[in-house]
Amino acid sequence: MYTNFINQKRKKNMKEIRSFILRAYSKSRSQRIFLFLFLTFLSSLSCLFVIGQNHPVHKIRLDPDNARGGNVSDFFDDVSFIPLETNKESLFGKIYQMQVTEECLIIYDSETYAILIFEHNGKFRAKINRRKPNEYFGSFTLNRQDHEIILKTRELLLFYDYNGVFLREQKIDLNLGRILHLGKDSTPRYAIHINRPTKASKKDSIAYDLTFTDDFQELTKELFPYNSRNEWRQYNLPQNIFTDQGDGTFMFSFPYRYNVFEMSSKGIVQEFNFVFPEKYSLPFGFATESSFAQNRKEHIFNPKPENYNHYIFLGPFYRYGDLVLFFGDRIVSYMSNHSDFIYNLKTKDTFSLNLLMGTETSGFMPVLQASQSQKMLAVYQDRLYTSMSSANYMRALERLKKDGKEIEDKLPSINNKDNPVVIISTFKKGIK
Amino acid sequence: MILKRILLLFCFGLIICTAKGQQFVGEIRGGVKDPELNRVIPAATVSVYLMQDSSIVEYTLTDDAGGFKLNKLPLKTDLFVSASFVGYKTKSVKFHIKDTEILDLGTIHLFKDNNIIEEVVILAPVRMNGDTLEFNADAFKMDPNAVAEDLLKKLPGVIVWGDGTITVNGREISSLMVNGKPFFGGRTTVATQNIAKDAINKVQVYQKERNSTDSISEINIQLKDGKSFGYFGKAIVGTGSTNKYESDLNINAFNKRTQVSTIIGKNNVNKESDDINTLLEASTYKGAQLNTNYQTNFNKPGETGALRGGILLSHDLKEYNSQKEKNTFTLNYLYNNTHQDVERSDHVLTNINSDNIQERLGQSLQNKKRGLNSFMSQYEFRKNNVDFSITGRLKQENIGFTGLNADSVQALYGNILSRRKNSEYNNGKSTNAGLDFSISHAKRRDNETKIPADWEIGYIISKTNNRENRLLESNFKSYLDPTDYFDVNRDNESLIEGVTHKLTAKWGDFWNVFTKRKDYNKTLFLTNNIELGKRYVYDDVYDVIEENRIQNALLSFNRTEHTIDWKPGLTFQHTFIKLLSGRFQKEGKLEISADYQMFSLKNASDRHFQNFDRLYRNINPSIAFNYKNNQIDEYVNAINTSFHISNEFPTVDDLFPIVDTTNVYGIRYGNPDLKPAKRKEFQVDFSHRKSKKTAFLYKANLKVGDINNFQSISMEYDASGRSIIKPVNVDYHKYISIGGNIDKAIEFDQNLLLLKWRSSWTGSKTPMYIIFDDEVNVLQQTTNSIVDADVNVTFNYKNVLDLNANYGLYYLHSRKDDTNPLKNNSHRIETKTLFKPSNQMTIGSNASYYNNVFYGTAQKYTIWNAWVSYRFMKQNNLELTVSGNDILNQNRILNVRNLNNVISQNQTNSIGRFYMVSLSYFPRKFGK
């Protein structure tokens, strides 16, 4: 369905070229080779088409085993712990997505299928529930200029304000995938990550992972092509590929690929290309070569022990000056401990955020726990946002008490059944 | 008196052991860090050892901040702490705790060593490997002859219960694997009590379902390289007083793909089992335990001798390491030949009306001989989403029975009314053979085809052939009417031949076919169960009169029965999950199903009254709801409820039986007007389990039912005590049962106190007809009540002393409309003691005190056994045991029973007192 839709909207000249080539090489064994070369060419052409010029590429060699530790105070001037208000209305499970605005913290919880809005001090502001039981929205995006929360269901875009008040809805032709609002004045206005289709097409056909639109009527740009004869939904992962940095820049990456792109409303501005030691790396060409298409699912969902540590997705991903911060998702999720990294583009040093020792700055608490597979939630302005479940937070407090540490006022006491605690860490001045 | 002494000893043991366990009060703390990378090392292993012999004292894993704390350390003792982590050089620090204090060891720095091979460096007692907790066996210094169970008992959170059950953090493990596979039939103790601790590389504890928040733990014992093959077993010979003897030989051998066991033995000490797995469990190297299923059974009537042999084979046709795959052939054969001599007396009270209770007293001598050949072979295949198995079964039994029986009926405390004498000789042979076939396929979630692709098909064919020769001499005499008597001498030959085909099928999911949107929470399945049976029954009966055999035309018959039981049905399931991460997970499942049952019974007989057809049609609905509330790290509550309607159909022997009047105290008549009974039953059970290190569990259950058109009985008694039983339909039969149990483990120092409490109450109301001597036929209601309670306390002191006390109550109460209640009760107190003063010596004793009160009269007896065993040779392979059994020579078993207006007690002899000396040898080798 997706492929059909894309085909309809594809620019005519591109379509003609491709049709011509495919016709010319139909039923030929060399067709695939040619198509692969053509897709590679098309891919680079598409990128050029968006950014209009070559973007800088940072090649980063990162060895997780040699990620450094340190103290919380090495990176942050201040750490505060904000319990999110818990009442019958605001009770939720886990922070699956969080975005920070000037006004509030906006959270998506996929366990209660709700968007929750809290003040910066943790006070509950509003909640957006599903309007009917079978209405699903897997994430949200923000129109920061108009202070709107945008949810995408199968048929609609739903617009709410930061108080959770419903504003309007917009019908969309087809359900394409996860969306990202690039800015009110941006052209195009939305980026769409298109899930690969449920079935492989019967003949060679080009589809795209990333497309752009203004109004959900017509696709204006398409990036990252693939042959949908070889590639279908066994490629998909549930992770949200987009990270909104709140300053008009966005990061995105794709499953099984180790390059991360930074994008603004004008296009891709830079790329971070990671190389990991062999024991952490998927086989070469895993994401792109058709030879892997058939056994990709087996490799990921029924892994051999020696492959448990392979990184399958890099994200969420943030850039703060010369620091890049990201989470590395491994094939077996419980192996993803200590996978929140801080990499300094200048010094080329790698740090594990999970292994930073709590200092007085943080009341001797960590900003991310070592034993949990957690992700950073947001980097907004000069602050990093992470969280801890109430039970883990209380356990950590208990441990501090047992170790004879004085519990500072900055560490509020909560109930271990309460909502999670948001940890706001202010970057050290000049660390950029 | 004896009992009091034993109880006193038990309590004294508790006090001594509790007092002794308070010696370790020292505590250390510190942190582990990589100074080069300036990072803490979470989940590093920190272990404390004695300097003296490097034996381990305590161990832990570092927390998120790399910190550790260890307590219960000995004071004024030279110790060292060792910190290790994968890829780092292990570092040790000496220390000494002078007095009760917390010693801060500061930060222990570990340095990377890339040359270290992972498996070599992991000598620490514990480590986290992903989500698997791994215990390194070599880190635990134990007796060289220790077995896996000794090691498991040392692991934190692991409790090995007296019955061999293992719990991890309070939750029973689903299975124990060895190298990822079941070990010799899968019984836990076969693995844990045989495998040498020194053959174990590591013990892995992990969740079976890795994505669930409340899944069941599984334990895998990973053997060392080169130890994945070996043999173990037991050979025992014993001789005793009163010509008692026993001999057994069990040899088990295994390698990576094959496991084979053979067993052969002979005894006359009431040790018997038809299950080769039970026999394997009884032959473990670990030896005497508090509870074992295979021992001289003092609750088995009479004296039993057994000769047996068997083989158990399991072979993987292809090597595999994942439980997602299977390609295994298993074979199981057992020959068991037993003979049993029983002396029995019966005392039966029948409540006929308010002023008439009849009493029957009986005496019998029985000799039973049984030869069993049981064979089973199975092939199982599992790969991807397909499961397949095929099983062949063959069971052949030869049975010989000789019995002499005399009983008489009298009015309670009155004169004798009648008497009967029987002598009986039976010789029978039965063969049951079957083939089970099952295959299932689970649809992959990414399969987009509309055709439902989850299906299961099962087919079972069973054949039976039972032949029996029976000689019966019976005479009856009424003391009220001298003309009322008979003498019969009968010889009959009977045959039952049958074949049954059973086909079960399930196909779905149709919900996602009929609905537009995928909804994996709802499923709809078609089911189809059909059972076709054919049975040929033949009985040729002769009366022997003055050495002439004359066919008895009334009792001789042959008939063919055809049955069809077809149940096509529909099942709907709706599951839901509500979770809040780190706080709770609530799961519910609703299942509604209905089947349309067609039951047909077609009978063709040479006795015309047995020629009949019956066809019944019914709709059987059922509904079940299961709910589980897992409050993470606190408790799990589970509630299961169900309501179902089912039908019970009368058989040909209920409708049109061949009536034999020689069984005067229970002549069975038929009733052609019988209708099917409809059972409505509601069940609810609740369980609560604390998610703590030590087990605490309680369960409660309720079952309520009512059977419409219940097949009750009409009992007709005559003045001579003769009784006729006839099945009749009554409006209802109501029953209720309430039960509960509590399990609690208390661990302090290295000691374990286990408490188990079980109890149930069952009540029922059944209308029945009781007719005395042609009086008016009046429907009366009988009310029965049974209380069954059991309290068990087990105390384990440092693997040196095991004490167990058990109290059991069985109370029966039966009342009929117009009469006083009939009551029985039985109390049982058991104590078991196992004392191991050294690795070589075991002293054991168990005493069981019984107090049975039957209609106001009490009978008490105590069975007391004691033994001492000593092991010789370097590996403790040789064991000499001297035992005294039923030392007080009580030689009896009492049983009580209630049924409607009848209560009964029977007493049989048991094996009696004997003393025995036995010698056991345990051959065992793991690896080269």
Side-chain angles (χ1 to χ4, degrees):
Chain A
M1 189 182 280
Y2 305 140
T3 316
N4 292 339
F5 176 70
I6 294 156
N7 286 341
Q8 286 164 20
K9 305 297 178 187
R10 190 157 292 144
K11 295 204 176 220
K12 281 182 184 173
N13 56 344
M14 298 288 280
K15 189 177 175 182
E16 282 165 8
I17 294 166
R18 196 188 70 248
S19 303
F20 167 77
I21 293 163
L22 291 179
R23 271 201 308 277
Y25 286 85
S26 63
K27 294 183 182 175
S28 155
R29 199 184 166 196
S30 57
Q31 175 191 352
R32 306 254 166 81
I33 300 164
F34 179 81
L35 191 71
F36 173 73
L37 294 171
F38 177 69
L39 285 173
T40 312
F41 166 74
L42 209 60
S43 175
S44 57
L45 193 70
S46 302
C47 292
L48 289 171
F49 184 63
V50 172
I51 63 172
Q53 58 183 14
N54 283 329
H55 57 258
V57 178
H58 305 270
K59 190 157 190 172
I60 299 170
R61 291 190 183 278
L62 191 147
D63 178 6
D65 287 341
N66 283 308
R68 299 176 64 82
N71 295 323
V72 167
S73 54
D74 296 343
F75 289 87
F76 305 104
D77 280 336
D78 181 57
V79 179
S80 54
F81 293 81
I82 310 294
L84 298 177
E85 183 184 346
T86 306
N87 57 44
K88 201 177 171 187
E89 176 75 0
S90 71
L91 183 70
F92 71 97
K94 188 176 170 183
I95 304 173
Y96 283 82
Q97 183 191 2
M98 185 168 99
Q99 297 221 37
V100 184
T101 71
E102 288 284 349
E103 291 176 40
C104 55
L105 310 173
I106 304 166
I107 287 165
Y108 170 62
D109 171 31
S110 68
E111 292 170 6
T112 54
Y113 303 106
I115 303 286
L116 297 111
I117 305 162
F118 292 89
E119 310 280 353
H120 282 281
N121 63 6
K123 192 172 182 307
F124 176 62
R125 186 191 267 204
K127 182 178 184 179
I128 302 170
N129 282 311
R130 288 191 291 179
R131 299 185 305 176
K132 47 190 177 184
N134 60 353
E135 186 174 72
Y136 292 99
F137 39 86
S139 59
F140 67 94
T141 185
L142 296 180
N143 175 350
R144 289 178 181 269
Q145 289 78 21
D146 293 339
H147 295 206
E148 287 177 350
I149 302 165
I150 306 168
L151 308 177
K152 189 187 73 62
T153 69
R154 283 172 70 89
E155 295 100 14
L156 298 169
L157 288 186
L158 306 173
F159 296 83
Y160 293 84
D161 69 12
Y162 287 175
N163 291 312
V165 177
F166 176 71
L167 301 173
R168 64 187 185 283
E169 64 183 37
Q170 178 189 335
K171 194 157 172 33
I172 52 177
D173 281 357
L174 283 167
N175 174 30
L176 289 171
R178 231 180 272 267
I179 62 166
L180 174 72
H181 190 268
L182 296 167
K184 185 183 177 185
D185 304 320
S186 170
T187 307
R189 200 175 298 144
Y190 293 96
I192 309 169
H193 171 220
I194 302 182
N195 286 326
R196 294 195 175 176
T198 51
K199 283 182 189 169
S201 66
K202 288 183 180 167
K203 52 186 182 180
D204 289 315
S205 171
I206 293 176
Y208 294 85
D209 283 322
L210 191 63
T211 60
F212 297 85
T213 184
D214 283 322
D215 50 9
F216 287 88
Q217 303 302 315
E218 187 178 13
L219 297 180
T220 55
K221 290 177 179 60
E222 293 162 319
L223 294 179
F224 303 99
Y226 60 89
N227 184 350
S228 62
R229 177 172 178 158
N230 301 327
E231 300 284 351
W232 62 100
R233 79 174 192 184
Q234 38 79 31
Y235 176 89
N236 296 333
L237 285 177
Q239 282 88 342
N240 185 357
I241 71 159
F242 299 120
T243 309
D244 178 354
Q245 301 206 99
D247 60 355
T249 61
F250 309 89
M251 315 297 298
F252 70 89
S253 59
F254 294 102
Y256 319 125
R257 300 187 193 189
Y258 299 148
N259 43 356
V260 182
F261 299 90
E262 183 174 335
M263 175 173 62
S264 71
S265 58
K266 292 174 183 169
I268 293 174
V269 291
Q270 57 181 330
E271 181 181 339
F272 304 92
N273 194 346
F274 286 85
V275 182
F276 296 104
E278 193 180 359
K279 75 174 188 180
Y280 293 106
S281 284
L282 290 165
F284 182 74
F286 186 81
T288 50
E289 302 243 353
S290 59
S291 56
F292 284 103
Q294 298 298 329
N295 60 11
R296 200 176 281 144
K297 189 168 184 173
E298 185 71 11
H299 189 97
I300 301 299
F301 295 105
N302 190 18
K304 292 175 183 166
E306 60 267 29
N307 298 336
Y308 283 1
N309 280 307
H310 290 176
Y311 284 112
I312 54 170
F313 183 73
L314 304 182
F317 197 99
Y318 310 94
R319 187 181 57 76
Y320 180 72
D322 286 328
L323 300 181
V324 291
L325 303 95
F326 70 98
F327 177 77
D329 235 334
R330 297 183 185 171
I331 284 183
V332 177
S333 59
Y334 58 75
M335 303 296 277
S336 303
N337 300 344
H338 324 159
S339 274
D340 290 275
F341 298 108
I342 303 174
Y343 181 80
N344 191 319
L345 293 167
K346 259 189 189 164
T347 64
K348 301 189 187 308
D349 284 330
T350 308
F351 297 86
S352 172
L353 189 63
N354 315 80
L355 297 178
L356 296 186
M357 283 283 281
T359 56
E360 274 184 54
T361 310
S362 61
F364 298 99
M365 290 278 268
V367 295
L368 263 181
Q369 286 177 300
S371 59
Q372 306 289 318
S373 173
Q374 296 166 310
K375 301 169 184 179
M376 292 168 267
L377 298 173
V379 171
Y380 183 72
Q381 295 177 346
D382 295 319
R383 295 186 293 272
L384 168 73
Y385 291 77
T386 53
S387 79
M388 210 182 276
S389 75
S390 50
N392 285 340
Y393 174 79
M394 288 310 290
R395 267 196 288 269
L397 273 192
E398 283 301 312
R399 201 161 46 232
L400 286 183
K401 279 182 196 167
K402 280 184 186 168
D403 290 348
K405 295 267 185 346
E406 198 174 318
I407 305 301
E408 297 182 24
D409 291 343
K410 67 160 60 191
L411 300 177
S413 191
I414 56 168
N415 187 304
N416 62 7
K417 296 273 178 185
D418 282 351
N419 278 334
V421 173
V422 169
I423 304 164
I424 304 174
S425 310
T426 308
F427 283 107
K428 231 175 157 65
K429 275 183 187 160
I431 202 167
K432 273 184 170 181
Chain B
M1 194 65 188
I2 291 163
L3 187 73
K4 279 182 185 171
R5 281 180 196 166
I6 293 167
L7 282 173
L8 200 65
L9 180 70
F10 183 82
C11 297
F12 182 69
L14 272 180
I15 295 161
I16 292 288
C17 300
T18 313
K20 269 186 137 184
Q22 307 290 327
Q23 299 173 0
F24 301 89
V25 286
E27 183 175 323
I28 59 167
R29 61 171 56 167
V32 179
K33 196 171 178 182
D34 175 343
E36 290 169 327
L37 293 173
N38 189 27
R39 72 184 198 187
V40 296
I41 306 181
T45 307
V46 179
S47 326
V48 171
Y49 301 88
L50 282 175
M51 281 292 287
Q52 190 186 346
D53 58 1
S54 298
S55 60
I56 192 155
V57 181
E58 280 292 330
Y59 55 91
T60 189
L61 296 174
T62 53
D63 59 27
D64 280 1
F68 66 87
K69 190 187 287 182
L70 283 163
N71 50 26
K72 297 180 185 171
L73 301 176
L75 300 175
K76 298 170 185 168
T77 309
D78 289 330
L79 302 164
F80 70 94
V81 62
S82 171
S84 60
F85 193 67
V86 180
Y88 286 83
K89 283 180 190 168
T90 300
K91 186 166 181 182
S92 300
V93 177
K94 292 178 190 174
F95 70 95
H96 183 100
I97 310 174
K98 289 177 189 166
D99 207 340
T100 308
E101 61 173 341
I102 298 171
L103 185 63
D104 193 341
L105 296 177
T107 303
I108 299 174
H109 288 147
L110 295 187
F111 294 89
K112 285 208 170 188
D113 186 344
N114 295 328
N115 298 321
I116 294 173
I117 300 165
E118 185 175 315
E119 291 303 320
V120 175
V121 77
I122 305 306
L123 291 172
V126 63
R127 71 161 183 165
M128 279 303 293
N129 185 5
D131 66 343
T132 302
L133 195 59
E134 286 185 350
F135 296 92
N136 170 37
D138 283 345
F140 296 85
K141 290 207 171 172
M142 299 173 78
D143 178 82
N145 298 317
V147 293
E149 185 179 283
D150 300 318
L151 176 64
L152 291 175
K153 284 178 177 175
K154 294 255 179 196
L155 307 184
V158 177
I159 294 175
V160 182
W161 295 73
D163 58 2
T165 308
I166 298 173
T167 57
V168 176
N169 291 335
R171 184 102 196 236
E172 193 176 321
I173 60 162
S174 63
S175 48
L176 184 136
M177 300 286 171
V178 176
N179 283 352
K181 293 170 198 167
F183 193 66
F184 287 94
R187 297 273 178 101
T188 304
T189 49
V190 177
T192 58
Q193 296 183 2
N194 277 314
I195 295 174
K197 180 253 172 193
D198 287 343
I200 299 171
N201 178 17
K202 54 197 172 192
V203 175
Q204 299 170 313
V205 183
Y206 50 89
Q207 284 196 322
K208 197 171 179 184
E209 296 293 332
R210 289 192 148 122
N211 293 324
S212 170
T213 55
D214 183 42
S215 52
I216 300 164
S217 294
E218 192 169 84
I219 288 181
N220 180 44
I221 294 175
Q222 193 70 40
L223 299 179
K224 288 175 179 166
D225 285 344
K227 301 279 185 184
S228 298
F229 61 94
Y231 63 83
F232 59 91
K234 181 181 181 181
I236 179 172
V237 286
T239 181
S241 58
T242 62
N243 295 323
K244 294 290 184 292
Y245 63 88
E246 71 169 321
S247 61
D248 266 315
L249 174 64
N250 165 227
I251 295 290
N252 315 286
F254 68 99
N255 63 23
K256 276 190 176 176
R257 287 169 61 181
T258 308
Q259 297 172 3
V260 60
S261 292
T262 57
I263 194 155
I264 185 165
K266 191 176 181 187
N267 74 72
N268 64 354
V269 290
N270 279 19
K271 285 187 176 181
E272 197 223 337
S273 175
D274 278 352
D275 182 1
I276 196 164
N277 290 304
T278 303
L279 299 172
L280 293 185
E281 276 187 309
S283 302
T284 63
Y285 171 77
K286 178 82 174 167
Q289 301 296 305
L290 277 183
N291 292 299
T292 169
N293 292 327
Y294 180 77
Q295 57 186 356
T296 295
N297 185 352
F298 288 92
N299 289 317
K300 188 173 178 64
E303 294 186 28
T304 305
L307 168 67
R308 66 177 161 268
I311 184 165
L312 189 146
L313 170 74
S314 167
H315 176 68
D316 298 337
L317 299 175
K318 187 186 161 196
E319 197 169 329
Y320 55 89
N321 297 309
S322 161
Q323 288 184 49
K324 291 174 185 170
E325 287 181 50
K326 202 162 195 179
N327 196 339
T328 305
F329 171 76
T330 51
L331 184 146
N332 189 329
Y333 169 74
L334 182 71
Y335 169 75
N336 193 14
N337 193 333
T338 60
H339 60 89
Q340 185 183 15
D341 293 311
V342 180
E343 293 170 25
R344 173 176 165 143
S345 63
D346 286 274
H347 192 177
V348 181
L349 295 177
T350 305
N351 193 351
I352 296 172
N353 57 40
S354 56
D355 52 14
N356 188 354
I357 293 178
Q358 280 187 353
E359 184 178 23
R360 182 165 70 82
L361 298 168
Q363 292 285 336
S364 64
L365 293 173
Q366 299 168 355
N367 174 272
K368 296 177 189 172
K369 287 181 179 164
R370 175 173 172 260
L372 169 79
N373 281 290
S374 172
F375 173 83
M376 189 279 287
S377 69
Q378 186 176 51
Y379 171 69
E380 292 169 284
F381 174 83
R382 182 187 307 139
K383 192 164 187 184
N384 299 327
N385 47 355
V386 175
D387 267 84
F388 168 78
S389 81
I390 185 161
T391 309
R393 292 172 284 107
L394 178 68
K395 190 174 177 183
Q396 193 188 54
E397 268 185 295
N398 293 313
I399 292 174
F401 175 81
T402 308
L404 291 171
N405 164 253
D407 48 4
S408 60
V409 171
Q410 60 194 52
L412 187 61
Y413 311 123
N415 294 326
I416 190 164
L417 303 172
S418 63
R419 61 126 182 94
R420 172 184 65 173
K421 284 182 184 168
N422 278 352
S423 72
E424 188 179 348
Y425 172 75
N426 282 354
N427 186 11
K429 182 176 180 180
S430 74
T431 307
N432 293 288
L435 192 68
D436 302 359
F437 165 87
S438 78
I439 184 166
S440 67
H441 176 266
K443 184 180 176 179
R444 292 167 69 116
R445 279 287 171 93
D446 58 351
N447 185 341
E448 288 296 317
T449 54
K450 278 283 183 184
I451 301 167
D454 291 335
W455 48 261
E456 291 171 24
I457 296 172
Y459 171 70
I460 299 171
I461 178 170
S462 306
K463 281 195 81 167
T464 57
N465 184 309
N466 299 335
R467 280 181 190 278
E468 191 180 68
N469 256 328
R470 186 176 181 228
L471 299 174
L472 173 72
E473 282 182 44
S474 178
N475 65 62
F476 170 78
K477 184 179 177 185
S478 166
Y479 285 81
L480 295 179
D481 177 3
T483 62
D484 184 8
Y485 71 94
F486 67 76
D487 258 311
V488 293
N489 186 353
R490 192 167 284 163
D491 176 359
N492 73 317
E493 194 173 297
S494 63
L495 169 69
I496 300 173
E497 237 178 11
V499 59
T500 309
H501 303 266
K502 193 173 178 182
L503 180 75
T504 56
K506 187 176 169 185
W507 184 31
D509 163 31
F510 285 91
W511 188 265
N512 284 313
V513 172
F514 297 131
T515 52
K516 254 187 175 182
R517 300 193 55 182
K518 288 272 175 204
D519 187 346
Y520 294 111
N521 295 327
K522 296 190 180 88
T523 52
L524 188 68
F525 283 95
L526 292 176
T527 56
N528 190 13
N529 297 319
I530 185 162
E531 194 172 326
L532 306 172
K534 183 184 175 186
R535 208 165 73 124
Y536 174 71
V537 185
Y538 163 87
D539 205 353
D540 201 7
V541 184
Y542 290 88
D543 287 320
V544 182
I545 301 171
E546 294 174 355
E547 297 186 356
N548 295 318
R549 291 173 85 244
I550 300 163
Q551 190 178 37
N552 186 324
L554 288 174
L555 298 179
S556 297
F557 71 96
N558 69 72
R559 69 166 183 258
T560 307
E561 302 163 13
H562 286 93
T563 53
I564 301 172
D565 190 359
W566 185 27
K567 288 192 274 189
L570 199 63
T571 301
F572 169 76
Q573 287 177 345
H574 184 196
T575 53
F576 64 87
I577 296 176
K578 191 175 179 188
L579 66 95
L580 283 188
S581 289
R583 279 161 280 176
F584 64 77
Q585 177 161 334
K586 297 172 182 176
E587 299 170 31
K589 181 177 165 188
L590 174 71
E591 182 174 297
I592 301 169
S593 64
D595 59 58
Y596 179 68
Q597 184 175 20
M598 281 171 280
F599 183 82
S600 152
L601 178 62
K602 205 171 196 176
N603 216 50
S605 173
D606 65 348
R607 303 297 300 276
H608 295 302
F609 68 95
Q610 283 195 324
N611 284 321
F612 69 95
D613 290 352
R614 287 281 193 277
L615 176 63
Y616 306 104
R617 291 190 179 92
N618 290 290
I619 293 175
N620 300 323
S622 73
I623 182 165
F625 179 69
N626 307 320
Y627 177 73
K628 187 160 75 174
N629 177 0
N630 177 11
Q631 294 289 329
I632 313 285
D633 293 339
E634 289 185 18
Y635 62 85
V636 180
N637 285 343
I639 187 163
N640 300 310
T641 60
S642 68
F643 174 77
H644 70 266
I645 296 177
S646 59
N647 295 284
E648 290 154 18
F649 303 106
T651 64
V652 60
D653 289 325
D654 298 324
L655 297 164
F656 303 101
I658 304 292
V659 178
D660 183 356
T661 54
T662 52
N663 187 16
V664 288
Y665 299 135
I667 304 166
R668 291 203 163 266
Y669 276 60
N671 180 356
D673 298 326
L674 280 180
K675 295 172 195 159
K678 189 178 280 285
R679 179 190 292 268
K680 297 172 192 163
E681 189 172 272
F682 172 76
Q683 277 192 70
V684 57
D685 60 67
F686 171 80
S687 69
H688 172 90
R689 177 177 62 81
K690 284 257 187 258
S691 308
K692 300 290 176 192
K693 185 181 166 189
T694 49
F696 178 59
L697 167 81
Y698 64 80
K699 289 182 180 172
N701 59 69
L702 166 75
K703 189 196 288 186
V704 185
D706 184 12
I707 303 177
N708 298 128
N709 283 332
F710 176 67
Q711 189 175 310
S712 183
I713 49 172
S714 164
M715 293 293 299
E716 191 176 336
Y717 301 92
D718 71 9
S720 300
R722 206 181 328 235
S723 57
I724 294 169
I725 306 167
K726 187 177 170 185
V728 289
N729 284 122
V730 292
D731 288 347
Y732 65 88
H733 164 71
K734 295 179 191 300
Y735 57 93
I736 180 170
S737 80
I738 299 171
N741 61 285
I742 297 174
D743 289 1
K744 172 77 182 153
I746 303 163
E747 200 173 10
F748 48 95
D749 295 335
Q750 295 170 44
N751 311 312
L752 194 62
L753 185 67
L754 306 171
L755 305 168
K756 285 192 173 198
W757 174 75
R758 309 250 179 289
S759 68
S760 68
W761 169 71
T762 307
S764 64
K765 284 186 175 179
T766 312
M768 62 181 290
Y769 291 96
I770 296 176
I771 307 156
F772 179 67
D773 213 10
D774 297 332
E775 280 179 354
V776 185
N777 197 355
V778 180
L779 190 65
Q780 302 186 52
Q781 178 173 279
T782 59
T783 306
N784 288 295
S785 182
I786 299 172
V787 175
D788 191 357
D790 203 78
V791 183
N792 191 299
V793 183
T794 304
F795 177 72
N796 174 270
Y797 175 71
K798 293 184 178 176
N799 295 323
V800 171
L801 184 64
D802 287 331
L803 300 169
N804 175 270
N806 188 78
Y807 169 72
L809 167 70
Y810 192 56
Y811 174 79
L812 306 164
H813 180 283
S814 177
R815 192 171 66 184
K816 196 160 65 64
D817 273 351
D818 56 345
T819 58
N820 290 324
L822 300 174
K823 293 178 192 170
N824 276 338
N825 62 63
S826 127
H827 304 265
R828 185 185 76 253
I829 301 173
E830 292 172 297
T831 61
K832 297 174 185 171
T833 310
L834 207 62
F835 177 51
K836 294 180 180 172
S838 70
N839 287 327
Q840 286 74 36
M841 183 177 265
T842 306
I843 301 166
S845 164
N846 59 49
S848 304
Y849 164 79
Y850 298 89
N851 182 356
N852 270 30
V853 182
F854 177 74
Y855 202 61
T857 307
Q859 286 202 63
K860 300 168 188 172
Y861 62 101
T862 303
I863 304 286
W864 179 39
N865 310 312
W867 71 93
V868 58
S869 65
Y870 194 85
R871 294 220 175 180
F872 302 90
M873 297 175 67
K874 192 180 170 189
Q875 284 192 316
N876 287 345
N877 294 104
L878 193 66
E879 183 181 74
L880 178 70
T881 303
V882 179
S883 63
N885 300 278
D886 190 9
I887 294 166
L888 305 175
N889 202 22
Q890 304 289 291
N891 192 18
R892 64 182 134 166
I893 303 164
L894 281 171
N895 283 308
V896 289
R897 194 161 171 250
N898 270 33
L899 182 67
N900 299 324
N901 64 326
V902 178
I903 62 166
S904 60
Q905 174 177 260
N906 69 62
Q907 178 177 324
T908 61
N909 66 322
S910 183
I911 193 164
R913 177 168 55 200
F914 66 96
Y915 298 97
M916 196 140 191
V917 179
S918 57
L919 194 64
S920 305
Y921 180 70
F922 298 89
R924 61 201 307 256
K925 193 169 186 184
F926 295 88
K928 285 181 183 172

